[in-house]
Every structure is written in structure tokens, then in C-alpha cells.
Amino acid sequence: NSKLIVCTYPQTTFSEAMAYGIPTILIYDPNYNENHKEAQDLVNKLKDAKIIFNDPVKAANHVNFYWNKIDEWWTSRDVVLAKNFFYKTALRLNSNWKKEWKIFIKNELNKHVKKT
């Protein structure tokens, strides 16, 4: 039921929020979080779309500007293109991703039950 998710660590929580399609921003200091060279193009696209911020003041200004019209930003062409690039390169989700995870978790649980 969140209007906007603000993440401060570029890992699972950020990916989960993006996967669910909830408006999301990531604020992080690159000095404390390693950027892999392979991911730099993705990071740049997400920064350009105002999804990733390294400056919390700029992030706050962005949120304040769009707060009453968050979907205007989240569904804008540049943001949709950046999100799709994220889905393709970082998540590799297909339309049945929830079903695939459900099957995977069920199989893992079954393996655990069989061992005990």
C-alpha cells in the first residue's frame, strides 16, 4: 500500500520494490557501496530517470516535487524505459516470475522436509 518506497541499500529490497512496480527511489553513497563496471550503464540510466540518487537533498527535492503526482514521474517515458532496462538486465523477470518463485520455494521446502 506504499505510495513510494525509499531504499538506502542497492540490493534485495530495492530489487523487490522495483519488481513489484511500486514507485521506488534508491539513495546511496557510492563510496560505501561498490559499483560493478558491468552495472554502470544500468546505474546511469536509473540516475537519469531519477530512480537512483547519490545526494539525499536532490532525492528529497524530487520526491517533494512529485509527491502529489507520483504516477506522472513513475509512468513517464524515460522512467518506464529505465525500469524495463532494469528488469531485463538486473532481474530478468518474465511474465510468470511469481509462479516460478512459488515453484522454486515449494521445491526447496520439499527438499528440506525430506531431509528431516
Side-chain angles (χ1 to χ4, degrees):
N1 293 330
S2 298
K3 182 174 182 173
L4 173 73
I5 296 175
V6 178
C7 296
T8 58
Y9 188 68
Q11 295 295 332
T12 305
T13 304
F14 176 67
S15 295
E16 288 174 345
M18 292 291 288
Y20 276 103
I22 298 168
T24 302
I25 63 169
L26 171 64
I27 307 167
Y28 79 101
D29 185 338
N31 295 317
Y32 299 110
N33 296 282
E34 183 179 354
N35 273 340
H36 296 281
K37 290 181 183 182
E38 302 85 21
Q40 197 54 53
D41 189 37
L42 173 59
V43 170
N44 290 339
K45 287 182 187 314
L46 294 175
K47 283 181 177 180
D48 290 344
K50 304 286 191 270
I51 294 172
I52 291 180
F53 295 87
N54 297 128
D55 181 342
V57 174
K58 288 182 181 178
N61 289 338
H62 173 75
V63 170
N64 286 334
F65 182 80
Y66 282 105
W67 186 250
N68 291 321
K69 52 186 177 180
I70 204 82
D71 285 337
E72 180 181 311
W73 160 70
W74 192 244
T75 60
S76 68
R77 181 183 179 277
D78 291 342
V79 173
V80 169
L81 290 173
K83 291 186 301 186
N84 287 339
F85 189 70
F86 178 81
Y87 300 149
K88 180 181 174 186
T89 59
L91 298 182
R92 297 186 180 139
L93 295 178
N94 65 39
S95 60
N96 295 322
W97 70 271
K98 289 180 187 176
K99 184 177 179 180
E100 288 177 6
W101 273 104
K102 182 179 176 181
I103 292 168
F104 172 78
I105 292 169
K106 186 176 180 179
N107 288 339
E108 291 300 308
L109 289 172
N110 287 338
K111 286 180 194 177
H112 178 70
V113 169
K114 289 177 184 178
K115 288 181 181 180
T116 56

